[in-house]
Amino acid sequence: MKPSLKDNDNLLFNWFCTGLKYFLLALLGLGIAFVVSHTLGANAIVGMLLSASLRSWVAKIAIFLICLFAIAMMVESWG
């Protein structure tokens, strides 16, 4: 028996979901690396994880994902 729901998801929304999944996995990995390196006393790695350049990249990616989500919702509501 086939389900009655159609699978016509928005392509932009699929990109957003995939991007959000990998973004959150990357944040989880950075968090684990921070905790482990801080626990083991690797101050050089802790300094790299707390650097301003890494924060700016994370912020840029988060803003990009938010904009992609907004565009996907506008396209979805339009059609």
Side-chain angles (χ1 to χ4, degrees):
M1 184 168 135
K2 292 184 179 180
S4 61
L5 298 174
K6 291 183 178 180
D7 189 20
N8 58 354
D9 289 336
N10 189 353
L11 181 63
L12 290 175
F13 188 70
N14 287 339
W15 287 350
F16 164 73
C17 291
T18 304
L20 182 65
K21 178 177 77 172
Y22 289 119
F23 178 69
L24 292 176
L25 283 172
L27 284 182
L28 179 68
L30 287 173
I32 291 171
F34 175 77
V35 169
V36 169
S37 61
H38 190 74
T39 303
L40 297 177
N43 292 330
I45 297 174
V46 172
M48 285 188 292
L49 291 173
L50 294 176
S51 68
S53 63
L54 183 66
R55 280 189 215 152
S56 70
W57 273 100
V58 169
K60 288 176 186 177
I61 294 170
I63 291 170
F64 173 75
L65 285 173
I66 290 169
C67 291
L68 186 63
F69 179 70
I71 292 169
M73 289 299 108
M74 285 181 216
V75 168
E76 186 68 28
S77 67
W78 189 323

